[in-house]
Amino acid sequence: MRNYGLFFEHENTQELPKSLRGDYSDMFTLLKLTQRANGKVGLITQLDATRPDSVERLTAFLKWITKDLRIDPTPLDRRMGEHAPMGGLQVPTRLPWLTATQTLNGSGDNQCGKYKSAYMTRGFTEPMLDAIFRHLTRDGYENPQALLQVDSYGGAINLPESDDTAVYQRSSVLKLQYQTYWSWQKDSNKDGVADHHDAEVDASIAAPHLRWIREFYRDVYKDTGGVPILSPAGTAAGASPKTVTDGCYINYPDTDLDDPGWNRSGQPSHLLYYGDNYGRLQETKEYWDPRNVFRNAQSVQPFTH
């Protein structure tokens, strides 16, 4: 995990070995750090197989992240969050685009879930690594469908300026997805069907999963108030930033960010999602929906509401 973070932090720099200084802008990876009940950690990697150096670059990347681990790859033969088993793909395989897309699109059974997110501008700190390991292996919670997924980031995503679009984060090297999934399985409210309403009367359905992911997230970011705060603006060139995070991703909405019990950072959810762009989004909201008809728990608020 440390090697994985360092690769994306130092990509395209002299900090990496010569074999890793090629152009990896076509590569996307998912490191799936599962709760120990799953029994395996997963890695999914895609890159442009039509490039003549694709095999060489993939081999160098895999060799780097498994350095000193002394392990051999095995099949991703069990579900890991949103991804279904993928058979014998532990051997790098060249696939047509459509076939590869269909392989990754295995949504599986209907489930409940809870997500949290974080943008990373650098690799993991040692306290973060300790907290991640502790919560993925802690006693009292067993769920093979609970995990931290670490997405490679950067590349073309970081080319626009922070104020070019609504998406503020344009300097990240990783995006983290904290995930846990569970099924209803029982009709606790005796209305004849099993659905999400059963969790309203039976805390045992959802509460253990929510407690695990909330405490996990809080402890990883304990030094910044329990959330991945925005990186401070104006850091001098060459200087180390005060934090390695840069807020959250709105497409994984998390109302815990608005709860002072879980967010003690002083940065509200709209700042963590949109940074300095929130004011312009409010202007748009004010123009098109001043009465706030179209809304959800974390939607942009008009000025007059």
Side-chain angles (χ1 to χ4, degrees):
M1 186 174 175
R2 184 180 295 107
N3 294 343
Y4 186 88
L6 288 173
F7 175 86
F8 293 105
E9 178 180 343
H10 297 302
E11 188 178 358
N12 298 323
T13 73
Q14 299 298 309
E15 297 290 333
L16 292 176
K18 187 175 181 179
S19 61
L20 292 170
R21 295 177 193 168
D23 175 17
Y24 281 87
S25 61
D26 61 329
M27 185 175 75
F28 179 65
T29 72
L30 300 172
L31 178 60
K32 304 180 80 67
L33 303 169
T34 57
Q35 201 271 339
R36 66 179 178 184
N38 187 286
K40 280 189 175 183
V41 169
L43 176 70
I44 300 172
T45 304
Q46 292 179 289
L47 74 171
D48 183 358
T50 64
R51 288 178 46 173
D53 64 347
S54 59
V55 174
E56 179 183 352
R57 290 183 298 118
L58 178 60
T59 300
F61 172 72
L62 295 176
K63 184 177 180 180
W64 165 262
I65 64 169
T66 58
K67 184 177 61 173
D68 302 326
L69 295 183
R70 294 185 294 275
I71 59 172
D72 295 319
T74 59
L76 201 162
D77 57 1
R78 61 202 67 184
R79 173 167 289 279
M80 294 186 179
E82 61 193 303
H83 292 108
M86 297 184 190
L89 295 183
Q90 80 275 11
V91 177
T93 306
R94 183 178 286 111
L95 296 172
W97 175 84
L98 180 60
T99 305
T101 300
Q102 290 173 328
T103 300
L104 290 171
N105 186 28
S107 57
D109 297 335
N110 291 321
Q111 300 180 96
C112 289
K114 173 68 175 176
Y115 266 50
K116 291 178 176 287
S117 67
Y119 286 98
M120 300 279 293
T121 57
R122 298 171 64 194
F124 298 93
T125 66
E126 291 301 313
M128 285 180 172
L129 292 173
D130 290 342
I132 290 167
F133 180 80
R134 185 167 62 252
H135 282 277
L136 290 175
T137 60
R138 77 187 220 186
D139 293 330
Y141 182 72
E142 297 286 324
N143 181 4
Q145 296 307 313
L147 67 153
L148 169 58
Q149 180 172 288
V150 187
D151 303 8
S152 61
Y153 226 60
I157 293 171
N158 286 350
L159 293 179
E161 297 296 329
S162 291
D163 59 357
D164 283 351
T165 73
V167 178
Y168 176 83
Q169 292 83 0
R170 297 295 181 178
S171 60
S172 299
V173 298
L174 298 169
K175 184 165 72 173
L176 276 55
Q177 299 180 44
Y178 296 78
Q179 307 173 27
T180 183
Y181 302 91
W182 64 93
S183 300
W184 308 303
Q185 297 182 333
K186 53 184 177 180
D187 178 20
S188 295
N189 63 358
K190 308 301 181 184
D191 66 352
V193 295
D195 61 13
H196 65 281
H197 293 296
D198 295 303
E200 297 170 1
V201 299
D202 187 348
S204 69
I205 295 176
H209 309 288
L210 295 176
R211 180 171 59 251
W212 175 80
I213 197 170
R214 285 167 170 163
E215 293 176 353
F216 183 7
Y217 194 76
R218 177 199 62 196
D219 290 352
V220 172
Y221 307 110
K222 67 178 181 179
D223 293 334
T224 54
V227 300
I229 62 171
L230 289 183
S231 293
T235 302
S240 296
K242 296 179 181 179
T243 179
V244 300
T245 59
D246 202 19
C248 306
Y249 182 45
I250 184 58
N251 274 13
Y252 311 142
D254 178 16
T255 55
D256 293 339
L257 297 175
D258 297 310
D259 184 338
W262 297 108
N263 179 3
R264 296 171 285 102
S265 70
Q267 296 190 357
S269 64
H270 64 76
L271 183 64
L272 294 168
Y273 290 139
Y274 303 114
D276 296 334
N277 296 333
Y278 188 65
R280 287 192 297 144
L281 291 169
Q282 284 187 291
E283 291 174 3
T284 304
K285 177 76 170 182
E286 183 75 21
Y287 181 83
W288 291 104
D289 184 23
R291 297 179 183 274
N292 202 30
V293 173
F294 301 99
R295 63 187 184 274
N296 60 52
Q298 291 189 313
S299 55
V300 175
Q301 296 295 306
F303 290 120
T304 55
H305 182 66

